[in-house]
Amino acid sequence: MKLLTSIGDLDTPISSDVEITSTDDEEVTMTMQTDLADTADTADTAETAAATIPGPTDGLWHLRAAGVSLVLEVARSALPQILHWGADLGDLPADELDALRAAAVPPVASGTPDAPVPLTILPEQSAGWLGTPGVTGHRDGADFSTRFLVEQVRLVHDVERDGAPVAHRMTVDARDAEADLTLRIEIEMLPGGLVRARGRLRNTGAAVFTVGSLDLALPLPREADEILDFTGRHLRERSPQRHDFVAGTHLRESRRARSHDGTLLMTAGRRGFGYRSGEVWGVHVAWSGNTRTFAEQGMPTGERLLGAGELLLAGEVRLSTGQAYESPWVYASYGDGLDELSHRFHTYLRSRPQHPGSPRKALVNVWEAVYFDHDLDRLTALADAAAAAGVERYVLDDGWFRGRRDDTAGLGDWTVDDDVWPEGLHPLADHVTGLGMELGLWFEPEMVNPDSDLARAHPEWILQTGNRMPPEARHQQVLDLAHTGAWEHVYGQIDAILAEYPIGFVKWDHNRDLVDAGHTATGGAGVHAQTHAAYRLLDALRAAHPHVEFESCAGGGGRADLGILERTERIWTSDCIDALERQTIEAGTGLLVPPEMLGSHIGSPTSHTTGRRHELSFRGATAFFGHLGIEWDLTAASEAERSEVARWVAAYRQHRDLLHHGRSVRTDDPDPALRVHGVVREGAGEAIFAVVQLTTGVWAPPGRVRLPGLDPDTTYDVRPLAPGDEVEPGHGEALPPWWSDGVRLSGRTLAGAGVQLPHQFPERSVLLHVTAV
């Protein structure tokens, strides 16, 4: 292990001749109202390392983990510069690190500064960088441009943050004496090869400094010549879009404090990169408020980068003397193909101590079964049908609280409606738990209906600007949780409900954008503080009720970032349960979020949101790979349908250990009508694949389908998996000869040659079970 001390006054690269010491770890805490740290920067942990890495060598560090290398240069005159982020370079000796640095220096070109302009992790105009700057802000117009000089660097290995392992942690402290600002940059490499970074900007001057942005940037090689990101809307999240990486800035901003139309990932790679091949780099902002993510190519020198950070509204962060703004973590993943990039995110999420470790309970949510029609007899009958199907959790959705007979009233009044529930929720809770199921409950804590007791009593608790109310959405406004009274009101009411009833699961919804969201008292923009306040509310409720699992829902998948996933056990992936739409929605969301955290439900035969009608086999096979639930009035289903639902629930419960702990794999099938994806158990002893026929294909039968991710030297038994083994015959077509008895092939053959699949009608799916012989 190595720990760097202060650099000193010499404007030279940092020396590696330093003393190794150990200090106690203290994390800066944020104040409740401002979320701006007033305390001084404190030391980082330098714990005893289980292993060491080479470096530093004359200001160079080479960090490695799980097939990824990150080579950084830090000198007093410049913030950290990443010389390489990508494929593992091996155990580089000191002289080769020096040679790598020399080989990376570009010559001076016509029309450029007389010395090469470094692209640092936080780019500065003072160094000659004229792309997107890392820090923007001002002190009443002055100090708009920074020049930070590094004062101290620390590097520790094999430590933890919040209970999760960190392979390497670098902390860089810098100061701009002219602007009276200090900067701390933290760069961490996680054991799975994921990189993350954040910055903390502190005002040391007497006058207020207004922060405009703090964006972190990671360089890309010239080979990254194509961009893939995602867009969408409510009911159609994560729609992929690709285009060439050209000069200029491809900027994606989310100003809604949720991101149906935003991108969870901004990726760039070699043109044509897919799931299984092609180098690809991607970034993600772990923040549930407004964000900005961009891919940029500067001219004339052509540097390419991915950048990201919080999108701050005007005046949201104003730092008084001693106060600091800390950016969200920006996560960065590299892979040979999207599957490898995705796996690094999944590995990190699964390494955290709060990651759900118990089997993911099959659940029923009553929303699309009853909507606001809360009748005890009807709801208990639905509970009986769900329990008979093997369901383990029963979630009572919107409509249980005072005045909530439709979506026009009641939000903010989190007490049980006596008119509908004269004995409270106890009769339903007793019935549900008596059937052996866990009870879940819906809340929308951040919102308020103007038609509510809360809004009538405290209109000043509503986010608004200039004494005008924002336009309503779903007949609701946003409650200003940064107001102490509003926060305490919501916390008290929800805490009381969770204390009174045997609630094991909370669906936490967020059904409107934050528009014109200002604090009533000050008129200042409020999205930044609102996001921190929502985090505090979740954290406080989780601490008070540690047995309760929380789901993030924001009109479906509008809030699916790693910031909210630090506080929730799953997301509701989309309000659209149409199985065909879900194939694309879950493929995009699943690049970031592992299957066990993706709420995926079997809907009714006719989709509530699209009007499409799908066979139960397709709906079941689509929900099977996520955290399975049912969103259907089972009391209206036929006996045959209920029996088939029970078969899907039983298969899910039998195989969820594999589905929720294995490695997600996807293929790059040449037929766009076909989608093949699956999960391979750690050790590659077992796998389950879905072969999905999205539309009619060009070929019939579809040809051989490759099954990747298996051990090439192991022989596997491949056969259909019930209940996803049934194929509807059409036009006299026969099943492939191996279908009835299975076939045995090596992992190498399955990945390189594949197996012939039956011809399927559109919007159908079959499952394959692959087991080592």
Side-chain angles (χ1 to χ4, degrees):
M1 179 184 68
K2 293 184 180 293
L3 174 70
L4 281 189
T5 57
S6 62
I7 293 173
D9 297 325
L10 297 178
D11 192 10
T12 58
I14 301 166
S15 170
S16 62
D17 183 18
V18 297
E19 180 181 359
I20 300 173
T21 62
S22 179
T23 62
D24 293 328
D25 185 33
E26 299 176 11
E27 296 296 337
V28 174
T29 59
M30 293 189 173
T31 62
M32 179 170 177
Q33 290 304 311
T34 65
D35 299 297
L36 303 174
D38 290 296
T39 56
D41 288 332
T42 53
D44 288 272
T45 301
E47 302 175 16
T48 302
T52 61
I53 60 169
T57 300
D58 197 24
L60 294 176
W61 284 263
H62 182 198
L63 311 183
R64 302 168 62 201
V68 177
S69 279
L70 185 71
V71 180
L72 300 109
E73 179 181 13
V74 187
R76 184 175 188 272
S77 59
L79 294 171
Q81 182 178 0
I82 296 174
L83 303 183
H84 172 79
W85 165 43
D88 190 3
L89 300 178
D91 188 5
L92 296 181
D95 58 347
E96 188 164 352
L97 275 176
D98 281 328
L100 172 62
R101 173 169 52 191
V105 177
V108 174
S110 173
T112 64
D114 293 341
V117 177
L119 169 56
T120 62
I121 197 167
L122 193 138
E124 295 183 285
Q125 187 176 124
S126 60
W129 180 258
L130 295 177
T132 300
V135 170
T136 64
H138 64 93
R139 203 184 305 274
D140 195 22
D143 300 330
F144 73 96
S145 176
T146 62
R147 183 175 182 237
F148 286 104
L149 300 180
V150 176
E151 294 187 329
Q152 191 174 72
V153 181
R154 300 182 188 92
L155 180 64
V156 293
H157 315 297
D158 298 305
V159 294
E160 290 186 350
R161 184 183 293 277
D162 299 325
V166 175
H168 314 294
R169 177 189 300 161
M170 175 179 282
T171 306
V172 179
D173 289 305
R175 177 179 298 276
D176 183 339
E178 292 296 322
D180 282 324
L181 297 170
T182 65
L183 175 70
R184 168 170 287 186
I185 294 177
E186 293 179 272
I187 303 168
E188 295 185 345
M189 176 172 274
L190 306 179
L194 196 64
V195 175
R196 65 182 178 187
R198 68 180 177 185
R200 185 189 303 147
L201 185 70
R202 185 179 303 281
N203 178 21
T204 58
V208 169
F209 185 85
T210 301
V211 180
S213 62
L214 197 165
D215 295 328
L216 300 168
L218 291 96
L220 294 171
R222 292 185 301 113
E223 285 76 8
D225 53 5
E226 184 178 45
I227 294 170
L228 166 68
D229 61 356
F230 298 85
T231 184
R233 58 172 173 81
H234 181 227
L235 306 177
R236 200 180 191 277
E237 299 88 344
R238 319 296 173 241
S239 297
Q241 56 181 16
R242 285 183 184 251
H243 57 85
D244 289 344
F245 204 135
V246 296
T249 303
H250 175 62
L251 173 64
R252 298 296 307 280
E253 293 185 336
S254 175
R255 296 177 178 269
R256 306 173 183 271
R258 56 182 191 160
S259 56
H260 289 94
D261 63 331
T263 184
L264 282 185
L265 286 168
M266 174 77 76
T267 65
R270 284 181 178 268
R271 185 171 288 105
F273 65 87
Y275 287 120
R276 304 301 300 174
S277 64
E279 285 190 294
V280 59
W281 295 259
V283 296
H284 165 80
V285 186
W287 181 244
S288 308
N290 292 338
T291 61
R292 43 188 270 122
T293 314
F294 53 93
E296 186 167 85
Q297 175 177 299
M299 290 300 288
T301 50
E303 292 97 338
R304 290 176 179 169
L305 61 87
L306 293 175
E310 180 183 7
L311 190 159
L312 293 171
L313 300 181
E316 274 197 300
V317 175
R318 301 178 74 248
L319 303 179
S320 299
T321 304
Q323 287 188 323
Y325 165 73
E326 186 169 83
S327 76
W329 285 109
V330 173
Y331 285 79
S333 185
Y334 162 80
D336 183 7
L338 287 165
D339 269 5
E340 189 171 74
L341 176 147
S342 171
H343 181 64
R344 301 192 194 284
F345 285 108
H346 295 186
T347 297
Y348 162 65
L349 286 165
R350 289 170 172 172
S351 74
R352 305 165 306 145
Q354 75 269 35
H355 190 73
S358 59
R360 315 308 300 130
K361 290 182 171 71
L363 64 85
V364 64
N365 185 293
V366 307
W367 174 244
E368 290 195 10
V370 303
Y371 300 103
F372 292 104
D373 184 14
H374 281 203
D375 174 80
L376 180 60
D377 290 340
R378 186 177 181 188
L379 289 167
T380 54
L382 182 56
D384 292 338
V391 168
E392 302 158 291
R393 175 183 287 158
Y394 180 100
V395 182
L396 183 65
D397 209 287
D398 195 354
W400 58 269
F401 47 96
R402 190 166 68 248
R404 189 66 167 178
R405 303 281 49 82
D406 55 33
D407 67 356
T408 65
L411 283 179
D413 299 335
W414 301 109
T415 58
V416 178
D417 193 320
D418 295 335
D419 293 336
V420 179
W421 300 97
E423 299 177 69
L425 298 177
H426 293 292
L428 180 64
D430 292 344
H431 190 82
V432 167
T433 57
L435 292 169
M437 292 188 294
E438 178 184 88
L439 180 63
L441 197 60
W442 181 94
F443 291 91
E444 193 170 1
E446 299 154 77
M447 303 298 161
V448 60
N449 286 123
D451 184 4
S452 66
D453 293 342
L454 176 63
R456 284 184 285 270
H458 292 286
E460 75 279 8
W461 288 358
I462 297 175
L463 281 173
Q464 56 186 290
T465 302
N467 295 315
R468 62 177 182 267
M469 282 290 179
E472 289 186 13
R474 208 187 182 216
H475 312 289
Q476 63 194 54
Q477 297 288 0
V478 183
L479 197 62
D480 187 356
L481 291 179
H483 191 293
T484 301
W487 190 98
E488 291 178 347
H489 168 85
V490 175
Y491 174 83
Q493 288 199 327
I494 297 177
D495 176 63
I497 292 290
L498 297 183
E500 181 177 357
Y501 297 102
I503 307 297
F505 175 83
V506 166
K507 180 178 180 180
W508 184 294
D509 215 337
H510 180 287
N511 274 313
R512 65 154 294 161
D513 300 333
L514 270 60
V515 180
D516 210 22
H519 297 295
T520 304
T522 65
V527 176
H528 172 80
Q530 178 77 1
T531 307
H532 275 297
Y535 282 173
R536 285 193 301 271
L537 184 58
L538 264 166
D539 291 343
L541 288 168
R542 289 178 65 89
H545 305 278
H547 64 285
V548 177
E549 291 190 3
F550 286 79
E551 174 185 67
S552 169
C553 176
R559 193 153 64 176
D561 59 275
L562 296 189
I564 202 69
L565 286 176
E566 289 296 312
R567 299 161 170 87
T568 56
E569 278 72 23
R570 77 171 212 163
I571 64 166
W572 180 223
T573 316
S574 178
D575 278 348
C576 179
I577 317 177
D578 179 310
L580 182 63
E581 297 291 333
R582 275 294 186 118
Q583 289 291 329
T584 297
I585 293 168
E586 293 185 14
T589 313
L591 287 175
L592 181 74
V593 184
E596 63 270 24
M597 302 187 82
L598 295 175
S600 189
H601 292 184
I602 299 173
S604 59
T606 301
S607 171
H608 162 85
T609 57
T610 67
R612 282 197 192 100
R613 186 174 180 84
H614 286 130
E615 296 298 321
L616 180 50
S617 59
F618 186 49
R619 285 140 53 209
T622 301
F624 181 72
F625 286 86
H627 183 181
L628 181 138
I630 299 165
E631 196 113 358
W632 178 16
D633 185 0
L634 291 177
T635 64
S638 68
E639 286 298 323
E641 288 174 321
R642 290 196 215 179
S643 177
E644 188 174 351
V645 167
R647 292 177 66 208
W648 278 107
V649 173
Y652 166 79
R653 293 177 63 172
Q654 178 184 352
H655 295 289
R656 62 187 165 190
D657 180 68
L658 161 61
L659 296 171
H660 296 161
H661 294 89
R663 180 168 183 153
S664 295
V665 294
R666 309 158 183 93
T667 71
D668 299 303
D669 197 273
D671 186 351
L674 208 60
R675 175 167 288 157
V676 183
H677 66 93
V679 180
V680 179
R681 187 182 293 280
E682 185 177 355
E686 184 185 13
I688 297 175
F689 289 89
V691 182
V692 185
Q693 190 73 44
L694 300 172
T695 65
T696 56
V698 175
W699 306 290
R704 285 184 291 184
V705 170
R706 298 180 178 186
L707 305 180
L710 303 167
D711 177 28
D713 298 319
T714 297
T715 298
Y716 293 92
D717 181 83
V718 185
R719 61 184 63 242
L721 176 67
D725 58 342
E726 298 179 2
V727 181
E728 299 171 66
H731 308 293
E733 294 157 345
L735 295 170
W738 69 269
W739 193 256
S740 57
D741 297 322
V743 66
R744 293 191 172 188
L745 294 167
S746 70
R748 183 175 286 104
T749 302
L750 288 169
V755 294
Q756 177 68 60
L757 268 295
H759 178 66
Q760 299 185 82
F761 288 144
E763 300 171 23
R764 302 293 196 276
S765 179
V766 292
L767 301 183
L768 301 180
H769 194 196
V770 181
T771 54
V773 176

